[in-house]
C-alpha cells in the first residue's frame, strides 16, 4: 500500500512525499541429507515493512530553455520480522 503526494509551493519550488507499508509472509521447506540419514523441516514467519521518502527541489531557469534543479531528499525504511523457527526435522530412512 502506497501514499504519494506532491505540492508546488511556488512555480519553482516543490515538495514530494512517498510513504508505503508492506506485509510479507515467508514459507519454506528444506531437506537435510547425510549418509543413511534424511530429514525435512519447514518454516513460516512474517514481517511488516514501513518506509517514506521526502524530496524538495528548486527549479532554476538557464539560457537556451535549459533548467537546473538542485534537490535534497531524505528516506527511511523500517522492517520488523517475526522470529524464525523451523518445525519438523523428522528422520526417515530412504528405502534401498
Amino acid at each position: 500500500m502506497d501514499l504519494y503526494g506532491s505540492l508546488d509551493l511556488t512555480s519553482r519550488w516543490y515538495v514530494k512525499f512517498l510513504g508505503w507499508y508492506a506485509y510479507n509472509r515467508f514459507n519454506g521447506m528444506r531437506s537435510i541429507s547425510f549418509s543413511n540419514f534424511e530429514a525435512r523441516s519447514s518454516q513460516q514467519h512474517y514481517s511488516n515493512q514501513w518506509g517514506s521518502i521526502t524530496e524538495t527541489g528548486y527549479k532554476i531557469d538557464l539560457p537556451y530553455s535549459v533548467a537546473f534543479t538542485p534537490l535534497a531528499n531524505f528516506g527511511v525504511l523500517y522492517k520488523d520480522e517475526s522470529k524464525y523457527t523451523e518445525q519438523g526435522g523428522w528422520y526417515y530412512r530412504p528405502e534401498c
Side-chain angles (χ1 to χ4, degrees):
M1 175 173 43
D2 297 337
L3 176 66
Y4 175 78
S6 179
L7 176 64
D8 291 328
L9 300 174
T10 68
S11 62
R12 297 178 180 270
W13 185 22
Y14 71 89
V15 176
K16 294 181 180 181
F17 171 81
L18 173 64
W20 66 89
Y21 168 77
Y23 174 79
N24 304 291
R25 180 177 172 188
F26 304 98
N27 293 308
M29 182 175 281
R30 69 183 182 111
S31 297
I32 305 160
S33 179
F34 298 100
S35 58
N36 292 330
F37 174 83
E38 289 191 28
R40 291 192 181 117
S41 65
S42 63
Q43 58 83 18
Q44 180 178 10
H45 65 287
Y46 309 91
S47 75
N48 295 290
Q49 186 174 344
W50 298 268
S52 70
I53 188 166
T54 302
E55 176 181 296
T56 185
Y58 188 83
K59 180 182 173 186
I60 301 169
D61 291 323
L62 299 174
Y64 306 106
S65 299
V66 175
F68 174 69
T69 308
L71 60 92
N73 63 34
F74 175 77
V76 64
L77 175 64
Y78 175 77
K79 183 176 180 183
D80 175 32
E81 191 165 340
S82 66
K83 184 170 98 172
Y84 177 93
T85 57
E86 287 187 334
Q87 297 84 33
W90 61 88
Y91 168 76
Y92 73 93
R93 180 177 293 216
E95 298 298 322
C96 296

